């Protein structure tokens, strides 16, 4: 199974980028033994200044183009389900075991995700009711994906 993180905006050099790169490489290394073959970051950006709703729709079109064909779609949104790391790991393992070759996590821009794109998702995930900077959410998601992979692999990274 391949994991794609499709996000609006470009993450520039700095501590967030370093952390993201670290978790991506850790995930790829830890995932090989359990059938996770790749972790890709796909960034899209709408350059035009648009009002909120047209902006969300333009970003949704760019995100749709970045999502691999047939991928199981997971949207990150504050209205989604917050779940413990163990439950997230179990869900990721179930998707792998069901034969999903691609799982695409999508993160919207500062205005959020298009409601239509959110509705297309098989699962909507939240990091709680707080609003987080969308650049930081990438790092948080990458860490949780790494944590899920280590839980599935029986690695001691996750301690209860």
């Amino acid at each position: 199974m391949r994991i794609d993180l499709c996000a609006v905006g470009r993450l520039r050099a700095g501590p967030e980028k370093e952390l993201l790169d670290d978790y991506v490489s850790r995930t790829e290394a830890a995932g090989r033994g359990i059938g996770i073959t790749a972790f890709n970051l796909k960034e899209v950006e709408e350059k035009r200044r648009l009002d909120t709703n047209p902006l969300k729709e333009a970003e949704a079109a760019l995100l749709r183009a970045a999502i691999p064909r047939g991928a199981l779609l997971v949207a990150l949104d504050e209205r989604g389900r917050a779940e413990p790391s163990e439950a997230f790991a179990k869900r990721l393992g179930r998707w792998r075991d069901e034969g999903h070759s691609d799982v695409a996590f999508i993160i919207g821009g500062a205005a959020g995700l298009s409601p239509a794109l959110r509705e297309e998702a098989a699962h909507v995930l939240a990091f709680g009711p707080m609003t987080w900077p969308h650049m930081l959410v990438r790092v948080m998601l990458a860490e949780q994906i790494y944590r899920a992979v280590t839980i599935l692999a029986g690695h001691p990274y996750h301690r209860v």
Side-chain angles (χ1 to χ4, degrees):
M1 180 173 79
R2 292 175 299 271
I3 296 173
D4 293 283
L5 196 166
C6 305
V8 173
R10 308 268 180 216
L11 190 56
R12 293 174 182 38
E16 294 93 347
K17 175 89 168 99
E18 290 173 23
L19 275 171
L20 179 67
D21 291 345
D22 183 47
Y23 284 122
V24 167
S25 67
R26 285 183 185 198
T27 301
E28 287 181 329
R32 285 185 203 109
I34 62 162
I36 308 288
T37 60
F39 188 176
N40 306 301
L41 175 64
K42 298 177 178 180
E43 297 177 311
V44 300
E45 192 169 21
E46 176 57 61
K47 300 282 189 184
R48 298 172 291 167
R49 290 183 180 260
L50 299 170
D51 290 333
T52 300
N53 288 335
L55 177 62
K56 286 182 183 182
E57 292 310 315
E59 290 173 346
L62 293 170
L63 285 168
R64 281 188 188 97
I67 298 166
R69 180 182 217 88
L72 184 132
L73 188 59
V74 181
L76 271 81
D77 187 275
E78 63 193 16
R79 291 167 287 258
R81 174 183 289 160
E83 56 193 11
S85 296
E86 296 90 347
F88 178 67
K90 191 174 187 178
R91 182 182 303 281
L92 193 64
R94 188 174 63 245
W95 291 332
R96 178 203 58 199
D97 296 346
E98 289 171 351
H100 294 282
S101 59
D102 289 283
V103 174
F105 291 87
I106 55 170
I107 300 172
L113 281 174
S114 150
L117 187 56
R118 190 175 53 245
E119 300 263 336
E120 293 171 27
H123 184 63
V124 182
L125 181 65
F127 288 135
M130 293 179 172
T131 301
W132 296 95
H134 59 279
M135 296 298 182
L136 185 56
V137 167
R138 292 174 201 206
V139 176
M140 294 165 60
L141 176 60
E143 191 281 335
Q144 283 299 298
I145 290 170
Y146 172 65
R147 184 175 297 274
V149 167
T150 62
I151 289 169
L152 293 171
H155 185 279
Y157 176 78
H158 178 72
R159 291 172 176 73
V160 183

